[in-house]
């Protein structure tokens, strides 16, 4: 049994179920067990995965949306199964519904990046990498053919594509050529490694002795990305051997949560001062100094910038009756951003 | 699917409280069955939903079978689905009722709507009732020829299900040949994929009995078939692609050009969004190029990036599975990831199973150029909040040190750990320093200086304590107060619970004695006395062995216990390269995740421990099966601690180095008959040891001073045995002990006729034995053979007796096997057991 096949399939089942049911937990499954049965019936037979493509499933088994519930009350016909078999099973582009029609043709391309970084106790950037996704939301009529090119594809380290992407144009010219599925999907994911700096710095300092430990944390902008950095938070797990903690900050709020996590919400860095948090931890009796050092996890969000530097050059559309609307966005947020102390 | 109802938390859909609801449902269904009123489907749907929900939470609603079938006449597809589900679930246990459903399912198989045809066919094949298979053949045959691909897909899987219910029916109806035809000709990719999956399964299990099937199975791997699949691979769904790639991985190309053709064709699969496809492609690449060394290396370079992406994106489960594969690859080609080591740095939030594997990766990729960074990173984890990971990372540092040539910096780091003043860090570091010194004795000066500062009182863990003691013994000439530390440890002999530590203490004090006799003499005497009185067999044997060696000739003893040593160059690898190759052949399967070749977890004979627990659980008569398990278990136990066993060999095996002390044949013709089989020693033990401690320690003092022979103390009569009436032992410990201990006595008694009569209710024997403080842990069997496992504990100490007792009521005989922690007391216990048994059945 290939292990990844099982894991991928289970993830896919979870995705489809939460897509259908608007969430995934015990109660939701109990409330909708008939649909769950129906879905599983189509997704796997005799231990072999069959159809997991959401578009096709959606045609076979209707979603229990509010609209259909209203309809069923009005018309008395509450069948949530479509009358016909999906056409896409026979189509050569299985991810696309045969012939959708839209009054307003529009396509949005988002670059969403996550920065993973590890900064060690001496403030050295040990590891910094970006994991990015190109997310496309397309509402286009007919069978459109799209090509997307980047200004600087050479920075990409490793890429993975949605099955709709044709391999040859990418291999020869680094151009993404594809017939998109309808709606929201992940066109491609990529990695960019060996980044040299982070947009913000977080400097924790711990000094302990005499049964207490003094913590000071400084946060500031290191490398201005040109756009506002918001939703900044810094959190760390208090070690077990701590009796009490008293933390204050000159900006934002500090909360100590029930699971002994200290959460400092900064939001935005003010222009006039550098935010800092300081406080004292009281250690268990008998402990002179702190021996475990907490790791600070940092979160932030920057709208409008892809920190890897990846830029979309242009997006061409073919096979379309009228000019569609094209939209581009970029967003970077912190992934696993850790600062050790 | 859903777990049986265990919570009262959310009663949605409502939970029935008793049978009332079911019979209520029954009458309601009956009312609806005949009705053709409009809107009837809605009320049916509600009822069906209730029935299915009861079924899902585990309430038996099979009594509604007839009514459900009656209600199944409907055109509503959801109702049909629910009905099919119900039927599929209960048909197997109600084969008679299942017959009722055949009619309407067969009718539905001819429905106009392909969806209904497909669903009905699927349900028909899921009934799993052997005597109904004749009804399956017709619908399946027409299903395979249906003009709708959905129905054909279902029919192909149906054939496989039929095969599992009745292989002969399936083969007689010539279904495999039909599948083969559709596999090679059908226009729909999913039908083709299902055919492939079904045929692989059918032909593999037929292959053993039919030559034709095995030929067909071979034919699947022939060039035309494989190329046919490869050319269509992009039509397939991602799952079917995995299947095809698996097939291609087994294909052996005839020419080199084919290899490149296939790899070119499949290269884009490495960028597929589905990790399963990526990994399956990697397997194909690796297998194809096995014989071409250069290309194989290029493949490693090519697959690196996709693998690393798989590790860092996706769920932790995926990371774990991919890391296991990476680990396997790294073992074969350590250099490929040596520049990407940063990918294996642990992240704070990762689950510890991923972290552990990442630490192993870091250890494996370490080489001259990256060691400094890796060790620096690992040292940061030593202060981690997660203690097991902190320990693992220290161990990883040690492993890196052992595999590197330039260990200068690492030794410093390790010594810093010793000064961190955290008990578990110190403990792990001590063990490492010990191993390091065995490989690099030249570092002893630096290490000894630091180790000397550690107070033995701060070291509690047995392994660490043993390591510290080993160093004290080995380097006693350089450590000023070594004899006195050892002496104070010996003073606390009684409080030392770990036998391992006591064994090391004995050896260390011997070594110390050879180097600094006057200072150690007193300690050695005390240690040997304490060792001889020890209730642990190994400790006792080793003490006695040393005692006799010294008695025979001190210089021989020195050559045996403390010979000049050579540094260990390579520590034994835990897995043979043959096993690793087998795992590599099973790339992209669970074998890699378990780090075992598949036969080790699929074949029956390798599931020793489970087998044994089964036996204890429901005890079929057949003692032999437990015995056959034992050797495998032993081997495993030995393998687990290779490092330790190697060290033991060195210490006691001496120059000949051919086994541990217990099994070593006499290596010096004239020397002591070191054939100290434990059997013999244990017999001797009874005669010498149970004597008074003061007497024997006196004797040793004599010996050490003058080397005078000592008369063995007179054998005392076995002391009266008192058993603990409230003894407790969990089955796990029982099994473990039963495996480890030798049989100390095996006897056959006759049972009184009254006893035999009373045995009609075996419970009475258990109660009777309990009255004698002998407790039963498992029992079973049927007349005339009964089998019992008993255990008992000594009243004062935690020494345990284990008994297997097989009673045959027709011959009125009882066979008893006794195993004991303390061999010397087994005789007394045996008597006690026999008398207890003989009283059984007496008024």
């Amino acid at each position: 049994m290939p292990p990844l096949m099982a894991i991928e399939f289970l993830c896919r089942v979870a995705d489809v179920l939460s897509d259908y049911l608007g969430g995934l937990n015990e109660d939701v499954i109990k409330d909708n067990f008939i649909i769950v049965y129906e879905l599983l019936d189509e997704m796997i037979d005799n231990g072999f995965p069959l159809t997991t493509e959401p578009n096709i499933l959606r045609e076979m088994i209707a979603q229990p949306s509010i609209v259909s519930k209203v309809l069923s009350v009005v018309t008395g016909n509450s069948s949530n199964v479509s009358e016909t078999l999906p056409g896409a099973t026979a189509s050569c582009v299985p991810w696309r519904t045969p012939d959708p029609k839209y009054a307003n043709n529009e396509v949005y391309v988002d670059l969403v990046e996550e920065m993973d970084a590890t900064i060690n106790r001496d403030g050295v950037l040990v590891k910094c990498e970006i994991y990015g996704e190109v997310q496309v939301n397309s509402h286009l009529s007919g069978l459109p053919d799209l090509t997307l090119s980047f200004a600087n594809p050479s920075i990409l380290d490793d890429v993975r594509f949605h099955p709709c992407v044709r391999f040859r144009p990418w291999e020869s010219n680094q151009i993404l050529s594809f017939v998109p599925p309808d709606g929201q999907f992940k066109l491609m994911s990529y990695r960019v490694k060996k980044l040299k700096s982070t947009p913000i710095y977080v400097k924790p300092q711990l000094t302990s002795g005499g049964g207490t430990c003094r913590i000071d944390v400084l946060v500031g902008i290191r490398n201005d990305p040109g756009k506002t950095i918001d939703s900044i938070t810094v959190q760390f797990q208090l070690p077990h051997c701590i009796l009490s903690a008293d933390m204050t900050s000159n900006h934002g709020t500090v909360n100590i949560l029930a699971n002994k996590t200290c959460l400092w919400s900064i939001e935005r860095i003010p222009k006039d001062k550098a935010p800092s948090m300081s406080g004292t931890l009281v250690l268990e009796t008998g402990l002179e100094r702190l021996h475990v050092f907490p790791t600070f996890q940092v979160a932030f969000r920057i709208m409008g910038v892809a920190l890897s530097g990846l830029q979309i050059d242009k997006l061409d559309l073919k096979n379309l009756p009228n000019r569609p609307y094209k939209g581009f966005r970029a967003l970077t947020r912190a992934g696993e951003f850790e600062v050790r102390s | 699917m859903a777990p049986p109802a265990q919570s009262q938390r959310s009663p949605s859909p409502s939970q029935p409280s008793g049978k009332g609801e079911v019979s209520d449902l029954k009458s309601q269904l009956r009312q609806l069955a005949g009705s053709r009123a409009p809107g009837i489907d809605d009320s049916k749907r509600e009822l069906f939903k209730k029935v299915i929900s009861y079924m899902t939470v585990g309430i038996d609603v099979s009594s509604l079978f007839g009514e459900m079938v009656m209600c199944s006449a409907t055109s509503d597809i959801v109702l049909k689905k629910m009905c099919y589900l119900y039927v599929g679930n209960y048909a197997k246990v109600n084969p008679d009722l299942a017959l009722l459903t055949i009619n309407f399912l067969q009718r539905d198989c001819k429905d106009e709507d392909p969806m209904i045809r497909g669903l009905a066919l699927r349900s028909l094949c899921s009934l799993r009732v052997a005597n109904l298979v004749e009804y399956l053949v017709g619908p399946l045959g027409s299903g395979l020829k249906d003009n709708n691909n959905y129905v054909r897909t279902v029919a192909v899987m149906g054939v496989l299900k039929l095969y599992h219910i009745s292989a002969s029916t399936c083969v007689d109806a010539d279904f495999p040949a039909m599948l083969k035809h559709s596999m090679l000709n059908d226009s729909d990719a999913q039908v083709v994929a299902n055919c492939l999956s079904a045929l692989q399964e059918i032909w593999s299990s037929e292959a053993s009995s039919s030559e034709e099937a095995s030929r067909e199975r071979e034919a699947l791997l022939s060039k035309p078939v494989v190329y046919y699949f490869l050319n269509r691979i992009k039509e397939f769904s991602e799952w079917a692609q995995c299947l095809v790639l698996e097939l291609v991985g087994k294909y052996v190309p005839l020419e080199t050009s084919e290899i490149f053709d296939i790899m070119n064709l499949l290269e884009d699969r490495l960028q597929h969004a589905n990790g399963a496809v990526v990994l399956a492609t990697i397997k194909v690449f690796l297998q194809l190029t096995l014989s071409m060394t250069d290309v194989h290396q290029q493949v490693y370079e090519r697959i690196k990036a996709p693998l690393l992406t798989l590790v860092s994106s996706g769920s932790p489960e995926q990371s774990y599975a991919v890391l296991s594969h990476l680990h396997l690859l790294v073992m074969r080609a350590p250099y490929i990831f040596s520049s990407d080591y940063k990918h294996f740095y642990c992240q704070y939030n990762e689950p510890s199973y991923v972290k552990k594997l990442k630490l192993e990766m870091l250890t494996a990729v370490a080489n001259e150029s990256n060691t400094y960074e890796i060790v620096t990173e690992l040292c940061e984890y030593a202060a981690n909040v997660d203690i097991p990971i902190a320990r693992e990372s220290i161990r990883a540092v040690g492993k890196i040190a052992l595999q590197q040539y330039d260990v200068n910096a690492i030794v410093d780091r390790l010594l810093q750990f010793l000064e961190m003043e955290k008990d578990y860090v110190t403990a792990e570091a001590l063990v490492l320093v010990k191993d390091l010194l065995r490989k690099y004795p030249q570092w002893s000066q630096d290490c000894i200086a630091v180790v000397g500062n550690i107070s033995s009182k701060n070291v509690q863990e047995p392994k660490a304590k043993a390591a510290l003691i080993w160093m004290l013994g080995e380097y006693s000439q350089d450590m000023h107060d070594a004899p006195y530390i050892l002496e104070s440890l010996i003073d606390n002999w009684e409080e030392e619970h770990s036998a391992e530590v006591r064994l090391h203490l004995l050896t260390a004090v011997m070594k110390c004695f050879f180097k600094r006799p006057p200072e150690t003499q007193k300690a050695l005497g005390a240690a040997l006395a304490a060792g001889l009185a020890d209730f642990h067999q190994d400790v006792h044997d080793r003490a006695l062995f040393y005692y006799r060696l010294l008695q025979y000739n001190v210089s021989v003893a020195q050559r045996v216990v403390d010979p000049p040593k050579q540094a260990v160059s390579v520590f034994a690898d835990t897995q043979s390269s043959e096993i690793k190759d087998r795992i590599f052949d099973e790339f992209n399967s669970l074998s890699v995740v378990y780090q075992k070749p598949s036969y080790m977890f699929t074949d029956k004979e390798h599931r020793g421990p489970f087998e044994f627990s089964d036996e204890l659980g429901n005890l079929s008569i057949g003692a032999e099966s437990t015995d056959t398990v034992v050797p495998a278990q032993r081997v495993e136990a030995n393998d687990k601690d290779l490092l330790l066993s190697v060290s033991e060999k060195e210490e006691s095996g001496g120059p000949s180095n051919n086994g541990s002390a217990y099994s070593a044949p006499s290596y010096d013709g004239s020397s002591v008959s070191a054939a100290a089989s434990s059997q013999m020693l244990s017999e001797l033990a009874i005669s010498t040891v149970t004597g008074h401690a003061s007497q024997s320690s006196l004797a040793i003092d004599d010996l050490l001073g003058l080397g005078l022979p000592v008369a063995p103390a007179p054998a005392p009569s076995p002391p009266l045995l008192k058993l603990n009436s409230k003894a407790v032992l969990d089955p796990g410990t029982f099994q473990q002990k039963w495996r480890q201990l030798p049989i100390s006595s095996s006897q056959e008694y006759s049972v009184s006729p009254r006893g035999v009569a009373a045995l009609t209710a075996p419970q009475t024997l258990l109660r009777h034995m309990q009255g004698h403080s002998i407790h039963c842990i498992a029992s079973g069997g049927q007349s005339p053979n009964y089998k019992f496992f008993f255990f008992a504990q000594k009243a004062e100490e935690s020494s345990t007796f284990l008994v297997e007792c097989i009673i045959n009521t027709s011959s009125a005989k009882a066979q008893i096997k006794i195993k004991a922690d303390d061999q010397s007391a087994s005789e007394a216990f045996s008597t006690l057991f026999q008398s207890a048994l003989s009283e059984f059945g007496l008024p």
Side-chain angles (χ1 to χ4, degrees), chain A residues 56-123:
Chain A
I56 303 179
L57 286 171
R58 221 168 283 141
E59 281 181 58
M60 285 181 166
I61 300 150
Q63 272 173 303
S65 61
I66 298 159
V67 183
S68 73
K69 267 182 193 153
V70 173
L71 262 180
S72 72
V73 171
V74 177
T75 61
N77 174 15
S78 64
S79 168
N80 58 351
V81 171
S82 61
E83 296 302 317
T84 52
L85 264 174
T89 40
S91 136
C92 59
V93 270
W95 52 85
R96 193 168 172 87
T97 351
D99 205 13
K101 290 215 168 30
Y102 291 98
N104 299 320
N105 280 308
E106 42 191 20
V107 56
Y108 298 95
V109 181
D110 294 350
L111 289 181
V112 180
E113 302 198 331
E114 280 188 6
M115 176 177 256
D116 295 342
T118 307
I119 295 161
N120 77 1
R121 132 167 353 133
D122 308 321

Side-chain angles (χ1 to χ4, degrees), chain B residues 278-320:
Chain B
V278 177
L279 208 57
T281 314
I282 289 175
K283 175 172 186 172
V284 173
F285 278 34
L286 289 173
Q287 294 289 354
L288 283 178
T289 57
L290 261 185
S291 55
M292 308 157 75
T293 322
D294 294 352
V295 188
H296 202 60
Q297 300 311 326
Q298 287 171 20
V299 166
Y300 279 135
E301 288 299 322
R302 178 66 188 86
I303 62 178
K304 203 162 80 172
L307 278 171
L308 290 174
T309 309
L310 282 178
V311 171
S312 44
S313 58
S315 58
E317 292 83 2
Q318 175 175 319
S319 301
Y320 183 80

Side-chain angles (χ1 to χ4, degrees), chain A residues 8 129 158 160 297 338 340, chain B residues 273 275 309 343 348-349 377:
Chain A
E8 285 271 0
E129 199 179 62
D158 183 46
R160 287 167 75 189
Q297 292 163 279
E338 309 177 349
R340 298 181 187 145
Chain B
T309 309
H343 282 280
Y348 179 76
N349 277 341
E377 176 77 9

